[in-house]
Amino acid sequence: MTEGNFVDYLKVYASSGSGGGGSTHLHREKYITKGGPDGGDGGRGGHVIVRADNNLWTLFHLKFNKHFRAENGGHGSKQRSSGKDGEDIYINVPFGTIIRDGETQEILFEITKENTEQILLEGGMGGLGNWNFRSSTNQTPRYAQPGIEGKDGWFQFELKLLADVGLVGFPNAGKSTLLSVLTAAKPKIADYAFTTLKPNLGIVQYRDFQTFVMADIPGIIEGAAEGKGLGHRFLRHIERNSILLFLIPADSDNIEKEYKILLNELKQHNPELLDKNRLLAISKSDMLDDELKEEIKKELPKGIKTLFISSVAQQGLVELKDELWKMLNN
């Protein structure tokens, strides 16, 4: 999946099917002059249903197909035959998708679990045929109910990535490199800021064939929560991560200051993010000798466990995976 194919926000127009009308048929048969009413009921209109699909992780498949219309129900007919129910139409979305009303922005529901199906718009009920209205005083009703019209409207689909570990850091902190080394993901890597323009997901292989999901969130800069840089567009993806892995390079001028800036941006976006488990990794540590590491340790932020790693030199990665696995399973 390339960066250009990542879509995490779009609007969709949906329309459920109208119910079929009831029949006003009167029974006619040789030798039966007054057969009476036998009009059947109309069929239900098709629903519009949003369905979880664990093979998806972006809304890109909806980018060029934003209109969904369910089938109308069939009309009732003679001999009390009911009309065919309209076929439901499904909109497949990845886990973590939020569906909002397109006008009010009200959250209607979220898709967060496997095999989840939610009706977005119900199809209209079919009308009753004249057979339902017969009585001792009205033996030949010549009327039936029309079907109820379907519903329609615009809806906002918003994706928040579901990942076990979210990588948080400034541009060029080494997040994409770490993801490419720990997983089979192939994010764009270069020596300039904002190389990553879209979030990337990867599956980390752990011991005994166990796995967990890691997400690389585009680099945050100071003021991201107010709209600066790219990070503010993707801060919402961090909300669904179980663990926040802060990545700060070893050649940073002030590791503690960078950590506090990152922490403040998360707080400005959503204070609840500070309640998540956090781990700090000092990247590019292959450039440090033991003496420099000891000096850096004296200036590390308090209250957070810190590991020294190097994605390129494959240093400290086993310990990092062990620590993340322990945090995920405590």
Side-chain angles (χ1 to χ4, degrees):
M1 183 68 68
T2 65
E3 287 182 342
N5 289 346
F6 181 82
V7 176
D8 59 356
Y9 171 91
L10 49 74
K11 285 190 174 183
V12 166
Y13 178 81
S15 175
S16 62
S18 297
S23 171
T24 58
H25 189 268
L26 298 175
H27 185 68
R28 291 290 182 268
E29 191 176 343
K30 193 175 182 180
Y31 308 121
I32 302 177
T33 55
K34 294 182 180 180
D38 69 346
D41 302 337
R44 171 184 64 80
H47 298 321
V48 179
I49 301 173
V50 179
R51 178 170 60 187
D53 186 339
N54 59 2
N55 294 315
L56 298 172
W57 74 281
T58 171
L59 298 172
F60 177 76
H61 63 292
L62 301 177
K63 185 175 181 180
F64 304 105
N65 182 24
K66 299 180 181 180
H67 292 75
F68 296 86
R69 190 180 299 276
E71 188 179 35
N72 291 332
H75 296 302
S77 60
K78 61 183 180 180
Q79 296 179 338
R80 286 184 276 168
S81 296
S82 296
K84 175 180 173 291
D85 286 345
E87 187 174 347
D88 298 333
I89 191 167
Y90 291 86
I91 305 176
N92 293 332
V93 297
F95 300 150
T97 302
I98 297 173
I99 289 79
R100 299 176 183 268
D101 184 284
E103 294 183 4
T104 66
Q105 303 298 303
E106 176 191 358
I107 294 179
L108 303 178
F109 54 84
E110 301 181 32
I111 301 294
T112 57
K113 295 181 181 178
E114 195 171 354
N115 300 321
T116 299
E117 290 186 2
Q118 287 273 5
I119 296 178
L120 180 63
L121 291 173
E122 290 188 348
M125 294 293 295
L128 297 176
N130 64 351
W131 185 80
N132 296 275
F133 301 106
R134 72 198 190 288
S135 67
S136 58
T137 57
N138 186 11
Q139 296 182 1
T140 313
R142 299 178 183 275
Y143 53 85
Q145 286 182 336
I148 297 176
E149 290 188 1
K151 302 174 183 177
D152 63 351
W154 284 93
F155 300 91
Q156 181 176 306
F157 283 46
E158 179 182 313
L159 175 63
K160 292 183 181 180
L161 291 180
L162 286 170
D164 299 304
V165 180
L167 299 177
V168 181
F170 287 105
N172 274 9
K175 301 187 301 298
S176 297
T177 304
L178 178 63
L179 187 73
S180 68
V181 171
L182 293 183
T183 75
K186 293 179 172 56
K188 184 178 180 182
I189 300 172
D191 60 353
Y192 54 84
F194 298 115
T195 309
T196 302
L197 301 177
K198 305 286 184 180
N200 290 291
L201 279 180
I203 299 176
V204 179
Q205 301 289 335
Y206 191 60
R207 308 175 195 270
D208 301 323
F209 305 102
Q210 298 173 110
T211 62
F212 57 90
V213 180
M214 181 176 284
D216 169 22
I217 310 299
I220 300 170
I221 65 171
E222 189 169 8
E226 283 76 46
K228 294 183 180 179
L230 294 173
H232 72 285
R233 283 188 55 202
F234 306 109
L235 280 171
R236 67 174 178 272
H237 293 298
I238 300 175
E239 295 176 13
R240 292 280 175 80
N241 302 155
S242 300
I243 296 172
L244 301 182
L245 174 58
F246 289 79
L247 226 63
I248 298 177
D251 57 358
S252 168
D253 293 334
N254 191 323
I255 292 176
E256 184 176 19
K257 181 181 178 182
E258 285 198 13
Y259 173 71
K260 288 182 176 179
I261 291 173
L262 291 170
L263 212 57
N264 183 60
E265 292 306 320
L266 299 187
K267 180 181 179 182
Q268 294 297 320
H269 174 71
N270 184 350
E272 293 181 4
L273 291 175
L274 301 188
D275 297 331
K276 292 182 178 292
N277 291 326
R278 304 193 294 268
L279 180 66
L280 174 61
I282 308 302
S283 61
K284 307 178 184 179
S285 294
D286 52 308
M287 65 177 69
L288 304 175
D289 56 23
D290 292 340
E291 186 177 346
L292 280 173
K293 283 185 181 179
E294 290 302 318
E295 288 297 318
I296 289 177
K297 285 180 181 179
K298 298 176 184 178
E299 301 174 359
L300 292 175
K302 303 295 188 293
I304 182 171
K305 184 162 185 176
T306 305
L307 299 175
F308 288 86
I309 67 168
S310 171
S311 303
V312 175
Q314 303 276 306
Q315 294 177 3
L317 300 186
V318 174
E319 292 83 353
L320 176 64
K321 289 196 287 185
D322 286 342
E323 185 63 30
L324 291 172
W325 184 259
K326 184 169 69 174
M327 293 172 70
L328 285 169
N329 291 277
N330 279 347

